[in-house]
Amino acid sequence: MKKHKKRKLDIAVISDVHLGTFGCRATELNNYLKTINPKILILNGDIIDIWQFNKRYFPKPHMKVIKQLMNFITSGTKVYYITGNHDEMLRRFKGFRLGSFEIVNKVVLDIDGKKGWFFHGDVFDVTMQHSKWLAKLGGMGYDFLILINTIVNWVSHKLGYGRLSFSKKIKNSVKSAIKFINNFETTAADIAIDERYDYVVCGHIHQPEIRTIETEKGSTVYLNSGDWIENLTALEYKNKTWSLYEYEKDEIAKNIHLEYPVKDLELISSEHNNSELFTELLKEFNIKTQ
């Protein structure tokens, strides 16, 4: 396979990966991560889906993503892990640092003289604050829909057709969902303008976006990194400019092949294969077992 030079970025932002679920597009994400060399990598929430996590399902591509993130950390890339609602258990570890890795709830950065405010976004979701059981039930329904979608896309691929996204079409057609997305963006922008942030960067709603929002009090640039389930998008900052990365338009990343074939619905034995993965991890850290 021909090796391509990695793209140097000042900042890369990914969110809503949902490792540990059927809908996670870990292979595509790993391909993308192999093509970039960021100074700062911001993991903006819901990277590991602890809500839906099942120890019997953690395929090799998911583990590969973890290893790729570790490579960034050991190579000196500053990595911020911003907690989200699906990995909210990590919030108890806020402030944890290990080398260039840090777990936080939000990040404020000076970006070429402008202030950037990064956070996941579930803090705006009333459902998360007052009816968490309902939100989790909705998350389970969404994950089930993604599972059905995965099976349908496998059949569609075998028949020579393109991918379909039921959840994306439903979300983009339901008025209440559209209203929620608009309210989310407006709320984020209003607070950012009040606090005089030039950029406000979120995830959570799986809706990639870059746009300037203006009010009578001022303006800010609202950015959303989208997700790695339906949209396969990220945010990139280079040469004082933000851009929205779309995997489907990246022929280089799409043509990177992993070392092993992986099926979308591959299950891993909770005892045998997880033990192998842990043994590999020990080797990577040069830790010898007795």
Side-chain angles (χ1 to χ4, degrees):
M1 180 182 69
K2 181 181 178 181
K3 290 187 176 181
H4 297 274
K5 189 175 181 179
K6 292 186 177 183
R7 295 185 294 112
K8 292 184 178 180
L9 302 172
D10 294 320
I11 304 173
V13 184
I14 62 173
S15 68
D16 300 274
V17 177
H18 295 271
L19 290 171
T21 66
F22 289 110
C24 174
R25 304 283 291 279
T27 297
E28 290 86 346
L29 175 57
N30 197 41
N31 289 350
Y32 166 64
L33 294 175
K34 285 183 176 181
T35 67
I36 63 172
N37 181 19
K39 294 179 182 177
I40 298 175
L41 175 62
I42 297 179
L43 309 175
N44 203 358
D46 290 359
I47 305 303
I48 299 175
D49 196 322
I50 298 175
W51 276 12
Q52 312 295 331
F53 185 79
N54 185 332
K55 67 178 182 179
R56 292 187 60 83
Y57 183 78
F58 208 85
K60 288 184 178 180
H62 295 221
M63 194 64 182
K64 280 287 186 178
V65 170
I66 299 295
K67 289 185 176 182
Q68 185 63 42
L69 296 177
M70 291 172 63
N71 288 339
F72 282 126
I73 295 170
T74 56
S75 65
T77 295
K78 178 61 180 180
V79 178
Y80 291 101
Y81 192 120
I82 300 177
T83 57
N85 51 298
H86 282 257
D87 46 22
E88 62 182 353
M89 290 179 64
L90 296 177
R91 284 175 177 159
R92 69 185 66 182
F93 302 108
K94 181 189 72 170
F96 172 80
R97 294 183 182 182
L98 182 62
S100 62
F101 175 77
E102 186 175 357
I103 297 177
V104 294
N105 290 334
K106 64 179 180 179
V107 173
V108 176
L109 297 178
D110 183 299
I111 307 173
D112 291 321
K114 295 184 177 182
K115 290 174 66 179
W117 182 31
F118 300 78
F119 62 99
H120 183 62
D122 60 295
V123 67
F124 296 149
D125 194 342
V126 176
T127 303
M128 298 299 168
Q129 296 173 7
H130 302 295
S131 303
K132 188 167 292 187
W133 68 270
L134 184 61
K136 289 188 176 182
L137 182 62
M140 292 172 63
Y142 179 82
D143 199 54
F144 181 67
L145 188 61
I146 290 293
L147 174 57
I148 296 176
N149 214 151
T150 301
I151 297 172
V152 170
N153 279 325
W154 182 82
V155 175
S156 179
H157 176 73
K158 289 295 182 180
L159 296 177
Y161 298 105
R163 297 185 62 88
L164 302 171
S165 179
F166 300 148
S167 52
K168 186 176 180 180
K169 288 184 177 180
I170 291 172
K171 183 172 62 179
N172 291 342
S173 62
V174 177
K175 290 183 179 180
S176 59
I178 296 173
K179 183 180 179 181
F180 173 80
I181 291 171
N182 290 336
N183 289 343
F184 179 93
E185 295 175 350
T186 301
T187 302
D190 285 343
I191 297 177
I193 291 171
D194 287 340
E195 298 296 327
R196 297 185 179 181
Y197 292 118
D198 299 287
Y199 307 118
V200 53
V201 187
C202 306
H204 187 50
I205 58 174
H206 295 209
Q207 196 76 7
E209 183 72 85
I210 298 179
R211 68 185 178 100
T212 300
I213 297 179
E214 298 182 358
T215 68
E216 57 184 18
K217 294 182 179 181
S219 67
T220 190
V221 178
Y222 167 82
L223 305 99
N224 196 297
S225 45
D227 65 275
W228 284 86
I229 291 180
E230 302 166 314
N231 295 293
L232 311 188
T233 52
L235 292 169
E236 299 181 344
Y237 182 80
K238 182 181 180 181
N239 296 329
K240 299 183 178 182
T241 303
W242 282 102
S243 61
L244 184 65
Y245 170 85
E246 298 178 72
Y247 180 83
E248 294 300 334
K249 295 181 180 180
D250 187 347
E251 294 302 321
I252 293 177
K254 287 166 66 176
N255 289 324
I256 290 179
H257 301 290
L258 297 179
E259 299 174 358
Y260 41 75
V262 179
K263 298 179 181 179
D264 284 341
L265 299 180
E266 176 186 5
L267 293 178
I268 285 186
S269 166
S270 60
E271 295 181 359
H272 178 65
N273 287 321
N274 279 346
S275 177
E276 289 181 352
L277 291 174
F278 185 72
T279 300
E280 291 178 9
L281 197 62
L282 292 177
K283 290 180 181 179
E284 187 169 337
F285 280 84
N286 296 318
I287 298 175
K288 297 180 179 180
T289 58
Q290 297 297 325

